[in-house]
Amino acid sequence: MSCFVHSKVIEYAVAQKVPIVVGALTPTEVFTAWSAGATMVKVFPCNAMGGADYIKSLRGPFDQIPLVAVGGVTLETVVKYFDAGAKAVGVSSELFGLEALREKNIKKLTKNVKNFIGNVSHI
């Protein structure tokens, strides 16, 4: 089992009926996390492996595994990740905007979040 997949934590979550999203990168790690009982598998850093194309490649052999794309998801790429088969995405600074966060500018933060939601609302 890889260092990213902590089987005892997964076992505990499953026993408590708590959904658990487990991080993985390689196909082996994705399969190991799913086999151990993960509810979803977070693929991170997705952009370092090819972004949406990597998710699409993983979906081939792992079409039953719900994948969460994290790392490099932007306003411009978010739809590509869903089109590639991601069931969810993780975004942070891209969602809010680093400048808006630094300035603590609620109007800019709100606009950034609305832009993201608007980009994926048709999915």
Side-chain angles (χ1 to χ4, degrees):
M1 188 155 297
S2 86
C3 62
F4 297 104
V5 180
H6 303 286
S7 62
K8 296 287 185 201
V9 174
I10 297 170
E11 288 172 17
Y12 182 79
V14 170
Q16 300 303 310
K17 297 182 173 36
V18 173
I20 183 165
V21 180
V22 177
L25 181 61
T26 68
T28 299
E29 291 171 354
V30 168
F31 182 75
T32 301
W34 180 250
S35 296
T39 310
M40 299 178 92
V41 178
K42 175 183 86 167
V43 180
F44 175 81
C46 201
N47 59 327
M49 299 301 283
D53 288 338
Y54 187 56
I55 292 293
K56 186 174 182 178
S57 295
L58 288 172
R59 297 292 302 147
F62 304 129
D63 63 340
Q64 78 285 9
I65 300 175
L67 300 174
V68 181
V70 179
V73 180
T74 66
L75 185 60
E76 294 77 28
T77 63
V78 66
V79 172
K80 291 178 184 175
Y81 280 103
F82 284 114
D83 287 347
K87 297 299 180 197
V89 296
V91 292
S92 58
S93 59
E94 284 293 330
L95 174 63
F96 300 110
L98 288 177
E99 183 180 318
L101 285 170
R102 277 190 216 109
E103 295 172 359
K104 299 179 183 168
N105 186 322
I106 297 300
K107 286 183 182 180
K108 280 185 184 177
L109 291 168
T110 301
K111 181 181 176 189
N112 291 342
V113 171
K114 284 182 179 180
N115 285 339
F116 252 93
I117 292 169
N119 229 22
V120 296
S121 63
H122 68 282
I123 297 175

